[in-house]
Amino acid sequence: MPRLPAPLTLPPDSAAPRRKSSLRRRRRTEAATAWAFVSPAVLVIVGLSVVPVIWSLLLSFRASDLVTPSRWVGLDNYRALAQDPHFHEAVQNTLVYTLLYVPLSIVAGLALALVLNRRIRFVGLYRTLFFVPFVVSATAQGVLFSFVLDPEFGAANSVLHHLGVSAQGFLTDPSQALYVLVVITLWSGTGLCTVVYLAALQDVPPELIEAARLDGARGRHVLRHVTLPALAPVSVFLLLWQTIQALQVFDLVYVTTKGGPLGSTTVIVYFIWEQAFKNFTAGYGAAAAYVLALALFLMAALLRIVRGRARTAAVTS
């Protein structure tokens, strides 16, 4: 019988271990180079974010005026917050401000976006004009409206006088000041909702709208059953974003009313600033700040759960 040919075998590669070792050295060098570029940003983030968060958390369990040595008081700051009527008033003012500003800004932004999404003359100019107030700083807004709403020399009372309406106190009236702040914030904050909704309206499938119209759906039915469901993720984002912004309002209050009159515009962040840097009770202010942080965390977690359930329901349906 003929002999079968011997199988071909390759000699062992003696250079393979050296290549693996070289590859590991190259990866270590690349990692070291990457960390060399990233480390300044990491140090800034740790130094300006992580360290202050941990330090303020520890501070909330101490009695400190930021000058003299502090002492450990445990949960006394949090117990005092639970019994502080001024803190309760600040929480109430913040909730009223949030419950008014957030839905009004979202509804107004959606309405303006629906109007500006049409093909009308000078639509680009209109979009710009509605967005410009959003980029104006809260400090500039406060100074501007302090002049406009001045009870004696402001332009607003001059207009009301010509209309036969008696002069209003606006920011100096305890029954009006908080609502006036809501109106001022709506003037600037609605622009963001408008722009975000305008961008989202561009992604609504036109074939769905056309199919709904062919089936006999009118404008309000198309809006309810086609447009609004398509905008639901954007609405959840705006709800979370606007709520966080409302709970953190400070600049406008500081510039216009400084928490007055009679504490009617004292919101949580202004209360924190007042306790820490005006009354020099930094530990007490830090405790109030962590109560606000916990509220924001719970709200974000709740909205995330609701959004997840909505997505699950949409997939299963």
Side-chain angles (χ1 to χ4, degrees), residues 107-119:
V107 172
L110 177 60
L112 289 173
L114 292 173
V115 173
L116 297 176
N117 194 44
R118 301 176 180 178
R119 295 181 179 179

Side-chain angles (χ1 to χ4, degrees), residues 136-143 184 250-252 255-256:
V136 178
S137 67
T139 303
Q141 295 173 33
V143 173
I184 295 174
F250 170 77
D251 298 2
L252 187 62
V255 174
T256 54

Side-chain angles (χ1 to χ4, degrees), residues 81 86-95 97-98 246-250 253 265-275 285 287-293 295-296:
L81 281 175
H86 298 291
F87 179 69
H88 296 166
E89 183 182 22
V91 172
Q92 180 180 353
N93 291 336
T94 305
L95 290 177
Y97 177 89
T98 303
L247 293 177
Q248 293 181 336
V249 62
F250 170 77
V253 176
T265 59
T266 299
V267 291
I268 293 181
V269 178
Y270 187 84
F271 176 85
I272 295 170
W273 173 86
E274 193 174 40
Q275 297 300 320
Y290 270 90
V291 171
L292 173 61
L296 291 173

Side-chain angles (χ1 to χ4, degrees), residues 47-285:
L48 298 180
S49 299
V50 179
V51 172
V53 167
I54 298 174
W55 178 78
S56 61
L57 177 61
L58 297 176
L59 184 64
S60 67
F61 298 104
R62 308 183 70 87
S64 173
D65 58 2
L66 299 178
V67 178
T68 59
S70 61
R71 58 185 178 85
W72 183 266
V73 295
L75 296 175
D76 288 352
N77 288 327
Y78 294 94
R79 295 191 187 99
L81 281 175
Q83 302 173 359
D84 189 350
H86 298 291
F87 179 69
H88 296 166
E89 183 182 22
V91 172
Q92 180 180 353
N93 291 336
T94 305
L95 290 177
V96 171
Y97 177 89
T98 303
L99 292 175
L100 289 175
Y101 168 68
V102 174
L104 288 176
S105 64
I106 292 177
V107 172
L110 177 60
L112 289 173
L114 292 173
V115 173
L116 297 176
N117 194 44
R118 301 176 180 178
R119 295 181 179 179
I120 56 178
R121 193 176 184 184
F122 304 123
V123 65
L125 175 63
Y126 299 148
R127 293 175 179 176
T128 303
L129 291 177
F130 280 112
F131 185 70
V132 164
F134 175 73
V135 301
V136 178
S137 67
T139 303
Q141 295 173 33
V143 173
L144 171 64
F145 281 97
S146 294
F147 284 109
V148 173
L149 301 176
D150 186 271
E152 297 182 4
F153 309 105
N157 271 333
S158 297
V159 174
L160 292 179
H161 175 72
H162 287 293
L163 296 176
V165 181
S166 60
Q168 302 296 315
F170 295 118
L171 295 172
T172 61
D173 188 342
S175 63
Q176 297 180 3
L178 186 62
Y179 304 105
V180 172
L181 290 180
V182 172
V183 173
I184 295 174
T185 317
L186 283 174
W187 175 78
S188 61
T190 305
L192 174 65
C193 298
T194 303
V195 171
V196 172
Y197 273 128
L198 272 173
L201 285 172
Q202 309 304 315
D203 293 333
V204 177
E207 57 271 13
L208 292 180
I209 299 177
E210 196 65 28
R213 288 176 178 171
L214 289 176
D215 289 338
R218 297 183 178 181
R220 59 188 179 89
H221 296 101
V222 172
L223 175 64
R224 179 181 176 182
H225 298 287
V226 178
T227 306
L228 291 182
L231 297 179
V234 176
S235 300
V236 173
F237 162 74
L238 286 175
L239 177 63
L240 177 60
W241 178 265
Q242 294 293 80
T243 303
I244 292 175
Q245 296 301 311
L247 293 177
Q248 293 181 336
V249 62
F250 170 77
D251 298 2
L252 187 62
V253 176
Y254 181 80
V255 174
T256 54
T257 63
K258 289 184 168 52
L262 302 178
S264 60
T265 59
T266 299
V267 291
I268 293 181
V269 178
Y270 187 84
F271 176 85
I272 295 170
W273 173 86
E274 193 174 40
Q275 297 300 320
F277 301 106
K278 189 176 180 180
N279 299 337
F280 294 101
T281 53
Y284 192 58

Side-chain angles (χ1 to χ4, degrees), residues 1-83:
M1 294 180 61
R3 182 178 299 178
L4 296 174
L8 296 176
T9 57
L10 296 176
D13 189 0
S14 59
R18 285 181 294 178
R19 284 201 299 268
K20 292 181 180 179
S21 176
S22 176
L23 181 60
R24 285 195 297 267
R25 285 197 301 269
R26 186 188 308 170
R27 289 178 177 175
R28 286 196 295 265
T29 302
E30 292 176 352
T33 304
W35 276 108
F37 282 104
V38 174
S39 56
V42 173
L43 292 176
V44 170
I45 294 173
V46 172
L48 298 180
S49 299
V50 179
V51 172
V53 167
I54 298 174
W55 178 78
S56 61
L57 177 61
L58 297 176
L59 184 64
S60 67
F61 298 104
R62 308 183 70 87
S64 173
D65 58 2
L66 299 178
V67 178
T68 59
S70 61
R71 58 185 178 85
W72 183 266
V73 295
L75 296 175
D76 288 352
N77 288 327
Y78 294 94
R79 295 191 187 99
L81 281 175
Q83 302 173 359

